[in-house]
Amino acid sequence: MSGIMGCVRVLVVEDEPLLAAAIAEWLRDDSHAVDVAGDGGAALERLSVNAYDVLVLDRDIPVVHGDEVCRQLVASGSATRVLMLTAAAAVTDRVEGLGLGADDYLTKPFAFAELAARVLALGRRSRPADPPVLRRAGVTLDPARHEVFRDGRYVPLSKKEFAVLVELLRADGATVSAEQLLEKAWDEHVDPFTGAVRLTILKLRRKLGEPGLVETVTGVGYRIP
């Protein structure tokens, strides 16, 4: 595990199943929501449906080449940041990849910790910058240390509880819908009818303690006023 924490929605496009699974597992250990595609066609389909913060894109993939996936994404005006992976180490290859609109470039083989750090950095660039530490209503959340305190008391949270709390604090008092929380904190395989958000909110409330902090706005979502 890299130990660098954040909450980023990531699509990993890699046609080597073992490598794709390893990248996804590493990023999920950092509390990211990760989907995986094995070819460029599947990648474009997912990109058309889901709002990803970061695309980890192997350049040499079947069906639709990684270069074309990058071109189409950039042409669409998407805010998704692209980290391109390649086995080619030549400077000309890196320059060409960046010229297609990729935001960053990583040569295989790579260290998973470096990939995770680059994904987090790109994720921060894809949205307005958060303060280094999030604070509201007596809650202090440090994304880098993965620590939460309420009125000075340490609150141990699971990865999903932490990810949900990040989104609620980022909203700065506004209401966040269950759909928004699903999109940011879970991958595409979660069943929206399982009650995963409601259960996670329930556990989060218990751990944060009294007086109650997370409000339910009936028919709309949740907020920390």
Side-chain angles (χ1 to χ4, degrees):
M1 189 188 308
S2 73
I4 300 172
M5 293 294 176
C7 300
V8 179
R9 184 82 188 270
V10 185
L11 176 61
V12 175
V13 187
E14 169 60 61
D15 64 334
E16 297 179 31
L18 291 179
L19 179 56
I23 293 172
E25 181 180 1
W26 190 278
L27 294 174
R28 286 172 183 146
D29 278 347
D30 274 358
S31 298
H32 302 315
V34 185
D35 297 332
V36 178
D39 63 70
L44 288 171
E45 183 179 347
R46 285 175 170 81
L47 287 165
S48 71
V49 173
N50 301 314
Y52 294 101
D53 297 307
V54 179
L55 171 64
V56 178
L57 177 66
D58 183 27
R59 192 174 184 188
D60 189 16
I61 49 175
V63 184
V64 179
H65 194 273
D67 288 0
E68 182 59 23
V69 172
C70 188
R71 282 193 195 97
Q72 290 192 31
L73 181 67
V74 172
S76 73
S78 170
T80 301
R81 302 293 182 170
V82 180
L83 172 58
M84 190 170 277
L85 306 178
T86 181
V91 172
T92 52
D93 290 297
R94 294 199 296 274
V95 170
E96 186 177 348
L98 293 171
L100 293 167
D103 298 278
D104 202 354
Y105 208 92
L106 196 56
T107 303
K108 298 178 179 178
F110 51 80
F112 285 109
E114 181 179 4
L115 182 143
R118 293 187 184 214
V119 165
L120 184 58
L122 289 176
R124 286 171 174 158
R125 287 168 55 187
S126 73
R127 55 162 66 106
D130 288 325
V133 175
L134 298 170
R135 292 185 175 88
R136 187 171 187 84
V139 173
T140 302
L141 183 149
D142 187 333
R145 296 179 179 274
H146 200 250
E147 290 181 343
V148 175
F149 294 86
R150 182 176 186 188
D151 298 327
R153 173 180 63 87
Y154 175 68
V155 182
L157 298 180
S158 71
K159 291 168 186 171
K160 282 291 180 281
E161 292 159 3
F162 186 87
V164 166
L165 183 58
V166 167
E167 296 306 319
L168 292 173
L169 291 174
R170 278 179 177 157
D172 198 26
T175 301
V176 183
S177 70
E179 290 78 12
Q180 289 172 306
L181 292 173
L182 277 172
E183 182 175 306
K184 288 298 184 182
W186 280 265
D187 60 36
E188 66 182 1
H189 299 294
V190 67
D191 182 346
F193 301 106
T194 59
V197 171
R198 184 177 56 80
L199 182 59
T200 302
I201 290 286
L202 179 63
K203 292 178 178 177
L204 182 60
R205 282 173 171 150
R206 287 175 179 168
K207 291 185 178 180
L208 289 172
E210 297 295 337
L213 189 63
V214 181
E215 289 187 355
T216 298
V217 181
T218 305
V220 181
Y222 306 93
R223 67 173 186 149
I224 296 177

Coordinates of all heavy atoms in Angstrom, one line a residue, residues 44-99:
L44 N -14.0 3.6 -23.9 CA -14.8 4.7 -24.4 C -16.2 4.6 -23.9 O -16.9 5.6 -23.6 CB -14.7 4.8 -25.9 CG -13.4 5.2 -26.5 CD1 -13.3 5.0 -28.0 CD2 -13.1 6.7 -26.2
E45 N -16.7 3.4 -23.8 CA -18.1 3.2 -23.4 C -18.2 3.6 -21.9 O -19.2 4.4 -21.6 CB -18.5 1.7 -23.5 CG -19.9 1.4 -23.1 CD -20.2 -0.1 -23.2 OE1 -19.5 -0.8 -23.9 OE2 -21.3 -0.5 -22.7
R46 N -17.3 3.3 -21.1 CA -17.4 3.7 -19.7 C -17.2 5.2 -19.5 O -17.8 5.8 -18.7 CB -16.3 2.9 -18.9 CG -16.7 1.4 -18.6 CD -15.6 0.7 -17.9 NE -16.0 -0.6 -17.4 CZ -16.1 -1.7 -18.2 NH1 -15.8 -1.6 -19.5 NH2 -16.5 -2.8 -17.7
L47 N -16.3 5.7 -20.3 CA -16.0 7.2 -20.2 C -17.3 8.0 -20.6 O -17.4 9.1 -20.2 CB -14.8 7.6 -21.1 CG -13.5 7.1 -20.6 CD1 -12.4 7.2 -21.7 CD2 -13.0 8.0 -19.4
S48 N -18.1 7.4 -21.5 CA -19.3 8.1 -21.9 C -20.4 8.1 -20.9 O -21.3 8.8 -20.9 CB -19.8 7.5 -23.2 OG -20.4 6.2 -23.0
V49 N -20.3 7.1 -19.9 CA -21.3 6.9 -18.9 C -20.9 7.5 -17.6 O -21.7 8.1 -16.9 CB -21.6 5.4 -18.8 CG1 -22.6 5.2 -17.6 CG2 -22.2 4.9 -20.0
N50 N -19.7 7.3 -17.2 CA -19.2 7.7 -15.8 C -18.3 8.9 -15.8 O -17.5 9.1 -16.8 CB -18.5 6.5 -15.2 CG -19.3 5.3 -15.0 OD1 -20.5 5.4 -14.6 ND2 -18.8 4.2 -15.4
A51 N -18.3 9.7 -14.8 CA -17.5 10.9 -14.7 C -16.2 10.5 -13.9 O -16.3 10.5 -12.6 CB -18.2 12.0 -14.0
Y52 N -15.2 10.2 -14.6 CA -13.9 9.8 -13.9 C -13.0 11.0 -13.7 O -13.0 12.0 -14.5 CB -13.2 8.8 -14.7 CG -13.9 7.5 -14.9 CD1 -14.6 7.2 -16.0 CD2 -13.9 6.5 -13.8 CE1 -15.2 6.0 -16.2 CE2 -14.5 5.3 -14.0 CZ -15.2 5.0 -15.1 OH -15.9 3.9 -15.3
D53 N -12.3 11.0 -12.5 CA -11.3 12.0 -12.3 C -10.0 11.8 -13.1 O -9.4 12.7 -13.6 CB -11.0 12.1 -10.8 CG -12.2 12.5 -9.9 OD1 -12.8 13.5 -10.2 OD2 -12.5 11.8 -9.0
V54 N -9.7 10.5 -13.1 CA -8.4 10.1 -13.7 C -8.6 8.8 -14.6 O -9.3 7.9 -14.2 CB -7.3 9.8 -12.7 CG1 -6.0 9.4 -13.3 CG2 -7.1 11.0 -11.8
L55 N -8.0 8.8 -15.8 CA -7.9 7.7 -16.7 C -6.5 7.2 -16.7 O -5.6 7.9 -17.1 CB -8.4 8.1 -18.1 CG -8.1 7.1 -19.2 CD1 -9.0 5.8 -18.9 CD2 -8.5 7.7 -20.5
V56 N -6.2 6.0 -16.2 CA -4.9 5.3 -16.3 C -5.0 4.5 -17.6 O -5.7 3.5 -17.6 CB -4.6 4.4 -15.1 CG1 -3.3 3.7 -15.2 CG2 -4.6 5.3 -13.8
L57 N -4.3 4.9 -18.6 CA -4.5 4.4 -20.0 C -3.2 3.8 -20.5 O -2.2 4.4 -20.8 CB -4.9 5.5 -20.9 CG -5.1 5.2 -22.3 CD1 -6.3 4.3 -22.5 CD2 -5.4 6.5 -23.1
D58 N -3.3 2.4 -20.7 CA -2.2 1.8 -21.4 C -2.2 2.2 -22.9 O -3.3 2.1 -23.5 CB -2.3 0.2 -21.3 CG -1.1 -0.5 -21.9 OD1 0.0 0.1 -22.0 OD2 -1.3 -1.6 -22.4
R59 N -1.1 2.6 -23.5 CA -1.1 3.1 -24.8 C -1.4 2.0 -25.9 O -2.2 2.2 -26.8 CB 0.2 3.8 -25.1 CG 0.2 4.6 -26.4 CD 1.5 5.4 -26.6 NE 1.4 6.2 -27.7 CZ 2.4 6.9 -28.2 NH1 3.6 6.9 -27.7 NH2 2.2 7.6 -29.3
D60 N -0.9 0.8 -25.7 CA -1.0 -0.2 -26.7 C -2.1 -1.2 -26.2 O -1.8 -2.3 -25.6 CB 0.4 -1.0 -26.8 CG 0.4 -1.9 -28.0 OD1 -0.5 -1.8 -28.8 OD2 1.3 -2.8 -28.0
I61 N -3.3 -0.9 -26.5 CA -4.5 -1.7 -26.1 C -5.3 -2.1 -27.4 O -5.2 -1.4 -28.4 CB -5.4 -1.0 -25.1 CG1 -5.7 0.4 -25.6 CG2 -4.8 -1.0 -23.7 CD1 -6.7 1.1 -24.7
P62 N -6.0 -3.2 -27.4 CA -6.7 -3.7 -28.5 C -8.1 -2.9 -28.8 O -8.5 -2.1 -27.9 CB -7.0 -5.2 -28.2 CG -7.0 -5.2 -26.7 CD -6.0 -4.2 -26.3
V63 N -8.7 -3.2 -29.9 CA -10.0 -2.7 -30.3 C -9.9 -1.2 -30.7 O -10.0 -0.9 -31.9 CB -11.1 -2.9 -29.3 CG1 -12.5 -2.4 -29.8 CG2 -11.2 -4.4 -28.9
V64 N -9.6 -0.3 -29.8 CA -9.4 1.1 -30.1 C -8.0 1.4 -29.4 O -7.9 1.2 -28.2 CB -10.5 2.0 -29.6 CG1 -10.1 3.5 -29.9 CG2 -11.8 1.6 -30.2
H65 N -7.1 1.8 -30.2 CA -5.7 2.1 -29.6 C -5.8 3.2 -28.6 O -6.7 4.1 -28.6 CB -4.8 2.6 -30.7 CG -3.3 2.6 -30.4 ND1 -2.7 3.6 -29.8 CD2 -2.4 1.6 -30.5 CE1 -1.4 3.4 -29.6 NE2 -1.2 2.1 -30.0
G66 N -4.9 3.1 -27.6 CA -4.9 4.1 -26.5 C -4.7 5.5 -27.0 O -5.3 6.5 -26.4
D67 N -4.0 5.7 -28.1 CA -3.8 7.1 -28.6 C -5.2 7.6 -29.1 O -5.5 8.8 -28.8 CB -2.9 7.1 -29.8 CG -1.5 6.8 -29.5 OD1 -1.2 6.7 -28.3 OD2 -0.6 6.8 -30.4
E68 N -6.0 6.8 -29.7 CA -7.3 7.2 -30.2 C -8.3 7.5 -29.0 O -9.1 8.4 -29.0 CB -7.9 6.2 -31.1 CG -9.3 6.6 -31.7 CD -9.2 7.9 -32.5 OE1 -8.1 8.3 -33.0 OE2 -10.3 8.6 -32.6
V69 N -8.2 6.7 -27.9 CA -9.0 6.9 -26.7 C -8.7 8.2 -26.2 O -9.6 9.0 -25.8 CB -8.8 5.8 -25.7 CG1 -9.4 6.1 -24.4 CG2 -9.2 4.4 -26.2
C70 N -7.4 8.6 -26.1 CA -6.9 9.8 -25.5 C -7.4 11.0 -26.4 O -7.9 12.0 -25.9 CB -5.4 9.9 -25.4 SG -4.8 11.3 -24.5
R71 N -7.3 10.8 -27.7 CA -7.8 11.9 -28.6 C -9.2 12.2 -28.5 O -9.7 13.3 -28.4 CB -7.5 11.5 -30.1 CG -6.1 11.6 -30.6 CD -6.0 11.5 -32.1 NE -4.6 11.2 -32.5 CZ -4.2 10.0 -32.8 NH1 -4.9 8.9 -32.7 NH2 -2.9 9.9 -33.2
Q72 N -10.0 11.1 -28.4 CA -11.5 11.3 -28.3 C -11.9 11.9 -27.0 O -12.8 12.8 -26.9 CB -12.2 10.0 -28.5 CG -12.1 9.4 -29.9 CD -13.1 8.3 -30.1 OE1 -14.2 8.2 -29.5 NE2 -12.7 7.4 -31.0
L73 N -11.2 11.5 -25.9 CA -11.5 12.1 -24.6 C -11.2 13.6 -24.5 O -12.0 14.4 -24.1 CB -10.7 11.3 -23.5 CG -10.9 11.8 -22.1 CD1 -12.3 11.5 -21.6 CD2 -9.9 11.2 -21.1
V74 N -10.0 13.9 -25.1 CA -9.6 15.3 -25.1 C -10.6 16.2 -25.9 O -11.0 17.3 -25.6 CB -8.2 15.5 -25.6 CG1 -7.8 16.9 -25.8 CG2 -7.2 14.8 -24.6
A75 N -11.0 15.6 -27.1 CA -11.8 16.3 -28.0 C -13.2 16.5 -27.4 O -13.9 17.5 -27.8 CB -12.0 15.5 -29.3
S76 N -13.6 15.7 -26.5 CA -15.0 15.8 -25.9 C -15.0 16.9 -24.9 O -16.1 17.3 -24.4 CB -15.3 14.5 -25.2 OG -14.6 14.3 -24.0
G77 N -13.9 17.4 -24.5 CA -13.8 18.5 -23.5 C -13.9 18.0 -22.1 O -14.2 18.8 -21.1
S78 N -13.7 16.7 -21.9 CA -13.8 16.1 -20.5 C -12.8 16.7 -19.6 O -11.6 17.0 -20.0 CB -13.6 14.6 -20.7 OG -13.5 14.0 -19.4
A79 N -13.1 16.7 -18.3 CA -12.2 17.2 -17.3 C -11.3 16.0 -16.8 O -10.5 16.2 -15.9 CB -13.0 17.8 -16.1
T80 N -11.6 14.8 -17.3 CA -10.8 13.6 -16.8 C -9.3 13.8 -17.2 O -9.0 14.1 -18.3 CB -11.3 12.3 -17.5 OG1 -12.7 12.2 -17.2 CG2 -10.6 11.1 -17.0
R81 N -8.5 13.6 -16.2 CA -7.0 13.7 -16.4 C -6.5 12.3 -16.9 O -7.0 11.3 -16.4 CB -6.3 14.1 -15.1 CG -6.8 15.4 -14.6 CD -6.4 16.6 -15.5 NE -6.8 17.9 -15.0 CZ -6.4 19.0 -15.5 NH1 -5.7 19.1 -16.6 NH2 -6.9 20.2 -14.9
V82 N -5.5 12.3 -17.8 CA -5.0 11.1 -18.4 C -3.6 10.8 -18.0 O -2.7 11.6 -18.2 CB -5.1 11.1 -19.9 CG1 -4.6 9.8 -20.5 CG2 -6.5 11.4 -20.4
L83 N -3.4 9.6 -17.4 CA -2.0 9.1 -17.1 C -1.8 8.0 -18.1 O -2.4 6.9 -18.0 CB -1.9 8.6 -15.6 CG -0.6 7.8 -15.3 CD1 0.6 8.7 -15.5 CD2 -0.7 7.4 -13.8
M84 N -0.9 8.2 -19.0 CA -0.6 7.2 -20.0 C 0.5 6.2 -19.6 O 1.5 6.7 -19.1 CB -0.3 7.9 -21.4 CG -0.3 7.0 -22.6 SD -0.2 7.9 -24.1 CE -1.9 8.3 -24.4
L85 N 0.3 4.9 -19.8 CA 1.3 3.9 -19.5 C 1.8 3.4 -20.8 O 1.1 3.1 -21.8 CB 0.7 2.8 -18.7 CG -0.1 3.1 -17.4 CD1 -0.6 1.9 -16.8 CD2 0.9 3.9 -16.5
T86 N 3.1 3.1 -20.9 CA 3.7 2.5 -22.1 C 5.0 1.7 -21.8 O 5.6 2.0 -20.8 CB 4.0 3.6 -23.2 OG1 4.5 2.9 -24.3 CG2 5.0 4.6 -22.6
A87 N 5.3 0.7 -22.6 CA 6.5 0.0 -22.5 C 7.7 0.7 -23.2 O 8.8 0.4 -23.0 CB 6.4 -1.4 -23.0
A88 N 7.3 1.7 -24.0 CA 8.3 2.5 -24.8 C 9.0 3.6 -23.9 O 8.3 4.4 -23.3 CB 7.7 3.1 -26.0
A89 N 10.3 3.5 -23.8 CA 11.0 4.4 -22.9 C 11.6 5.6 -23.6 O 12.1 6.5 -22.9 CB 12.1 3.7 -22.1
A90 N 11.5 5.6 -24.9 CA 12.2 6.7 -25.7 C 11.5 8.0 -25.4 O 10.3 8.1 -25.2 CB 12.2 6.4 -27.2
V91 N 12.3 9.1 -25.4 CA 11.8 10.4 -25.1 C 10.8 10.8 -26.2 O 9.7 11.4 -25.9 CB 12.9 11.5 -25.1 CG1 12.4 12.9 -25.1 CG2 13.9 11.2 -23.9
T92 N 11.0 10.4 -27.4 CA 10.1 10.7 -28.5 C 8.7 10.1 -28.3 O 7.7 10.8 -28.6 CB 10.6 10.2 -29.9 OG1 10.9 8.8 -29.8 CG2 11.8 11.0 -30.3
D93 N 8.7 8.9 -27.7 CA 7.4 8.3 -27.4 C 6.6 9.1 -26.3 O 5.4 9.3 -26.4 CB 7.6 6.9 -26.9 CG 8.0 6.0 -28.1 OD1 7.3 5.8 -29.0 OD2 9.2 5.4 -28.0
R94 N 7.4 9.5 -25.3 CA 6.8 10.3 -24.2 C 6.2 11.6 -24.7 O 5.1 12.0 -24.4 CB 7.8 10.5 -23.1 CG 8.2 9.2 -22.3 CD 8.8 9.5 -21.0 NE 10.0 10.3 -21.1 CZ 11.2 9.8 -21.2 NH1 11.4 8.5 -21.4 NH2 12.3 10.5 -21.3
V95 N 7.0 12.3 -25.6 CA 6.6 13.6 -26.1 C 5.3 13.4 -27.0 O 4.4 14.2 -26.9 CB 7.7 14.2 -27.0 CG1 7.2 15.4 -27.8 CG2 8.9 14.6 -26.1
E96 N 5.3 12.3 -27.8 CA 4.2 12.0 -28.6 C 2.9 11.8 -27.8 O 1.8 12.3 -28.1 CB 4.4 10.8 -29.5 CG 3.3 10.5 -30.5 CD 3.7 9.4 -31.5 OE1 4.8 8.9 -31.4 OE2 2.8 8.9 -32.2
G97 N 3.0 11.0 -26.7 CA 1.9 10.7 -25.8 C 1.4 12.0 -25.2 O 0.2 12.2 -25.2
L98 N 2.3 12.9 -24.7 CA 1.8 14.1 -24.1 C 1.2 15.0 -25.2 O 0.3 15.8 -24.9 CB 3.0 14.8 -23.4 CG 3.6 14.1 -22.2 CD1 4.9 14.7 -21.8 CD2 2.6 14.0 -21.1
G99 N 1.7 14.9 -26.4 CA 1.1 15.7 -27.5 C -0.3 15.4 -27.8 O -1.0 16.2 -28.4

